[in-house]
Amino acid sequence: MQGRTDTTILESMEFTYDQLMDLKAALDKTSIVAVTDNRGLIQQVNDQFCEISKYSREELIGQDHRILNSGYHPKSFFKEMWRAIGTGETWQADVCNRAKDGSLYWVKTTIVPFIGENGKPERYISIRTDITAQKNIKKIAHIAYHDDLTGLPNRRSLSKRIENEITNGLRNKNQFAVFFFDVNRFKNINDSLGHKIGDLFLKELANRLREIDMQSDSFYRMNGDEFVYILEDVKLVNEMAEHILEVFKSSFIFDEYEFYASVSLGISVYPDHGENVSKLLKTADVAMYAAKAKKGNSYSVYKKLMRGSNDQFLALETKMHKALRESIFELRFQPVHNLQTGKIIASESTIYWNDEDYGEMNPDEFMPFAGQCGLMTEIDQYVLKNTINHMVQLKPHVDEDFKISVNLSTDYLRDTNFIVDLTQFLEEAQLEAKFIEIEISELGLLDTDLQLYDKINQIHEMGISISIDDFGMGYSSLSYLREVPISSLKIDHSFTHELNLVPANAKMVAAIISLANALNLQVIAEKVENGEDLAILKGLNCEYVQGLYLNEPLPLEELVAFIKEKNN
């Protein structure tokens, strides 16, 4: 550390020049010594100086110390040095120099001015000690516990931190939270924009995370696009989760590229969700995959029901097979309202599961588990068949242009039996295809290939409408809007939420509505949760909405009564 040292022997004694030369002779054996004139030009050096600098005595005499400048220190560093020694003060600091062969070395440096009769320094004696080894040890230790790319603490550092928090928790009965998150579709950034942009993105993300760190050095990079945050005050779990999600509300700009990203965040709490490092990370990871099922920027706190969470996994999977086999699952319907007329013009089919042990569960709670069990296609098949059968019962009570939409995974759409299933279900129910609409997540569609595009075109040719769900969460170009026969866009909840508090969301919604109008597409704002958002959407000329503010998902009988009430 640069500055005066009032405790060193060199500062506490008065020396004549001859005495300093005697001292130099004594230090020659163990220290790196040089004598310069008042301009800083080297007059004498000892063998140790030549050895570490790799310059001969002849090469050094008459030069100033800029010959050794490594470029490591800013100009202000040496400006302060000259200010100190120029006024007769002794100066000390750790200095990084560059040897003749280009190698760097560190020396602990003390410069002692020799004051002449005029009261000004005539010469300077610098005494240095080689501390390169100590500096390298610190550097190696830093590298061992920090990530090269982002500079954040790494996995090794994280394990030590969690172990310390557990020890503290055992001693003081404290809780703490582990946040585990990754960037949704990070592979798409690397594949589309290149690994250079991917690296720049991770660096910028690390910088944004540092800015919201409630504690010092509490964000960690696990690997790739996976990060962990340790929160000591569990009362702030929801607040901190929102801060992390907020990091992704602004776009990332590198060179000529600008794009948005989102994150899936899982949270576990000690000791409720684990009492050791591996268990806490595992439960946080499980919660993260539950957050992914919500799509877009979202977080989930760990629950025992989540896949891989406890020893009841096999029993829960058995229950799910039984629910499929015995048609225990229940369909409910989320109406789509025409904001201008107040009428119900469509509805979305949603699956619920009421289990005797776990109680009633919505799809966000059990569908991630179903996907990891390999049962997603079977459940999609169940939902499609029963939606068609329910539409048959609903048909006498609705207009001819009414539709029920069903959200299907791209895995099921790609399945070789999908078109066969769809055709068979419609024929068995004797239902016209025009009453059914299939929703596809935009994120799923961006992973597409020509085979899936072909499947979507076959669906369209059957007379079934195609809707894009969670619109606005994709990274790729919008060229698919020209290539896929789409009839409507559903604006993702992350844009329709808190429109009165986040002006950028309202601007995004307005842009999507304008885009939809230009392409002659319907646009639906989904998951509307309050009257303020509803009023703003109406002011933006959004024609169709759905969400909990308007009504909960309804069983078929209640949907029929609701439609009669609203449409008559």
Side-chain angles (χ1 to χ4, degrees):
M1 187 92 179
Q2 179 181 339
R4 297 188 61 183
T5 6
D6 298 324
T7 58
T8 63
I9 189 170
L10 291 173
E11 292 180 271
S12 61
M13 298 176 63
E14 294 290 334
F15 293 101
T16 66
Y17 179 67
D18 290 339
Q19 288 172 327
L20 285 171
M21 293 307 295
D22 289 340
L23 178 61
K24 170 188 172 299
L27 292 171
D28 267 346
K29 298 296 183 183
T30 57
S31 300
I32 302 157
V33 183
V35 179
T36 68
D37 63 15
N38 62 352
R39 297 174 298 167
L41 298 179
I42 299 172
Q43 295 180 326
Q44 297 180 48
V45 293
N46 69 350
D47 292 341
Q48 299 274 359
F49 196 110
C50 294
E51 182 178 342
I52 194 169
S53 71
K54 298 182 172 56
Y55 285 101
S56 68
R57 188 170 277 101
E58 291 74 23
E59 290 175 308
L60 292 167
I61 301 299
Q63 298 287 335
D64 62 27
H65 277 78
R66 283 196 292 266
I67 193 173
L68 305 174
N69 194 331
S70 64
Y72 179 86
H73 304 284
K75 290 182 179 179
S76 58
F77 181 85
F78 294 108
K79 184 177 181 180
E80 170 59 20
M81 178 198 76
W82 278 108
R83 185 207 62 77
I85 63 177
T87 57
E89 297 177 10
T90 298
W91 181 85
Q92 269 200 337
D94 294 347
V95 181
C96 179
N97 285 336
R98 186 180 299 278
K100 183 178 179 180
D101 64 0
S103 61
L104 299 178
Y105 63 93
W106 282 86
V107 283
K108 183 174 287 295
T109 302
T110 300
I111 300 178
V112 183
F114 173 69
I115 307 299
E117 293 180 358
N118 62 359
K120 295 182 179 179
E122 292 185 343
R123 297 181 182 85
Y124 303 101
I125 290 185
S126 61
I127 302 166
R128 299 174 172 88
T129 304
D130 184 6
I131 57 170
T132 304
Q134 296 95 305
K135 287 288 186 179
N136 284 344
I137 288 172
K138 289 182 180 178
K139 182 178 179 181
I140 291 168
H142 185 274
I143 291 172
Y145 288 96
H146 289 78
D147 172 55
D148 283 344
L149 179 65
T150 64
L152 293 175
N154 61 14
R155 180 191 289 267
R156 184 182 289 107
S157 184
L158 173 65
S159 296
K160 284 184 171 292
R161 171 69 181 277
I162 296 179
E163 287 169 358
N164 290 339
E165 294 294 341
I166 290 173
T167 300
N168 182 54
L170 288 170
R171 184 186 305 116
N172 301 314
K173 306 299 181 184
N174 291 339
Q175 291 182 298
F176 67 93
V178 176
F179 292 56
F180 193 108
F181 57 100
D182 71 8
V183 179
N184 297 325
R185 299 177 56 77
F186 176 69
K187 182 177 182 295
N188 189 279
I189 296 176
N190 275 335
D191 291 349
S192 301
L193 307 180
H195 287 273
K196 177 185 175 183
I197 299 298
D199 286 350
L200 290 173
F201 167 77
L202 292 174
K203 288 181 181 179
E204 170 62 17
L205 174 55
N207 290 335
R208 293 187 185 186
L209 293 175
R210 287 188 186 95
E211 291 177 0
I212 63 167
D213 198 347
M214 290 181 173
Q215 306 141 175
S216 177
D217 291 332
S218 290
F219 279 103
Y220 299 77
R221 185 187 180 200
M222 290 282 283
N223 51 56
D225 62 320
E226 293 180 339
F227 296 83
V228 171
Y229 180 71
I230 304 299
L231 180 64
E232 295 170 3
D233 187 350
V234 295
K235 296 191 297 294
L236 300 175
V237 160
N238 292 321
E239 179 181 341
M240 190 60 201
E242 291 294 342
H243 283 321
I244 294 174
L245 299 187
E246 191 71 25
V247 161
F248 294 85
K249 291 294 180 69
S250 300
S251 64
F252 292 82
I253 304 173
F254 308 104
D255 298 333
E256 71 272 25
Y257 300 109
E258 179 178 9
F259 57 89
Y260 286 84
S262 64
V263 68
S264 295
L265 169 61
I267 304 168
S268 63
V269 176
Y270 170 88
D272 300 351
H273 305 148
E275 297 182 348
N276 56 50
V277 175
S278 61
K279 184 68 173 178
L280 284 166
L281 289 174
K282 179 183 177 183
T283 50
D285 183 52
V286 167
M288 181 187 73
Y289 277 96
K292 283 186 179 296
K294 297 180 181 180
K295 305 167 187 174
N297 231 18
S298 60
Y299 71 94
S300 289
V301 178
Y302 173 78
K303 295 179 182 177
K304 290 184 178 180
L305 179 63
M306 293 172 178
R307 158 71 168 93
S309 58
N310 56 39
D311 296 334
Q312 295 179 328
F313 164 54
L314 292 176
L316 186 59
E317 185 174 0
T318 301
K319 281 176 173 286
M320 189 167 286
H321 278 281
K322 181 181 178 182
L324 280 168
R325 187 172 62 251
E326 299 180 5
S327 297
I328 294 174
F329 291 114
E330 175 192 358
L331 294 188
R332 296 182 191 170
F333 301 90
Q334 183 75 61
V336 176
H337 298 248
N338 185 321
L339 258 184
Q340 313 306 319
T341 66
K343 288 190 173 183
I344 307 302
I345 56 94
S347 186
E348 179 182 352
S349 176
T350 306
I351 186 170
Y352 282 76
W353 183 16
N354 197 338
D355 180 76
E356 58 185 358
D357 295 320
Y358 292 104
E360 184 176 279
M361 293 171 279
N362 64 46
D364 285 343
E365 293 177 301
F366 68 84
M367 287 301 281
F369 177 84
Q372 294 179 56
C373 289
L375 291 175
M376 185 69 78
T377 294
E378 285 84 349
I379 290 181
D380 276 353
Q381 187 181 47
Y382 177 96
V383 173
L384 178 61
K385 180 176 182 178
N386 283 278
T387 297
I388 290 172
N389 291 336
H390 281 60
M391 184 63 226
V392 172
Q393 300 176 58
L394 187 61
K395 184 179 174 183
H397 309 287
V398 297
D399 297 334
E400 283 295 309
D401 56 355
F402 188 94
K403 291 179 175 58
I404 284 189
S405 62
V406 53
N407 199 317
L408 300 178
S409 67
T410 53
D411 287 341
Y412 184 37
L413 292 176
R414 286 191 179 96
D415 192 285
T416 54
N417 291 321
F418 172 71
I419 295 296
V420 175
D421 286 347
L422 180 57
T423 303
Q424 180 182 336
F425 297 156
L426 288 169
E427 289 178 351
E428 288 176 351
Q430 297 184 354
L431 180 71
E432 301 97 311
K434 68 177 184 177
F435 288 104
I436 299 298
E437 181 175 72
I438 290 177
E439 292 186 19
I440 306 172
S441 166
E442 184 185 31
L443 293 178
L445 190 63
L446 295 178
D447 278 331
T448 192
D449 50 34
L450 293 178
Q451 183 181 7
L452 183 55
Y453 277 166
D454 181 62
K455 193 71 68 72
I456 292 172
N457 279 311
Q458 290 182 55
I459 297 168
H460 177 68
E461 288 168 4
M462 292 174 65
I464 294 174
S465 302
I466 307 293
S467 176
I468 301 301
D469 193 22
D470 306 317
F471 184 78
M473 295 311 297
Y475 301 125
S476 296
S477 71
L478 298 176
S479 61
Y480 70 86
L481 293 176
R482 298 194 310 265
E483 299 166 5
V484 178
I486 299 165
S487 60
S488 62
L489 304 176
K490 282 194 170 183
I491 307 175
D492 186 77
H493 173 60
S494 61
F495 298 121
T496 60
H497 179 57
E498 295 184 338
L499 291 169
N500 58 326
L501 300 177
V502 186
N505 281 358
K507 291 179 181 178
M508 183 65 74
V509 170
I512 293 173
I513 292 172
S514 177
L515 173 66
N517 290 337
L519 296 174
N520 197 28
L521 302 175
Q522 283 187 347
V523 60
I524 302 167
E526 60 181 348
K527 298 183 180 178
V528 177
E529 297 177 347
N530 59 68
E532 291 85 353
D533 288 341
L534 186 68
I536 293 172
L537 288 167
K538 190 169 185 178
L540 293 172
N541 295 318
C542 180
E543 195 170 1
Y544 304 108
V545 294
Q546 63 180 152
L548 296 181
Y549 178 73
L550 297 158
N551 48 263
E552 298 275 349
L554 304 170
L556 183 65
E557 296 78 10
E558 294 182 27
L559 176 66
V560 170
F562 187 73
I563 291 174
K564 286 181 178 179
E565 175 190 344
K566 298 292 288 185
N567 289 7
N568 294 329

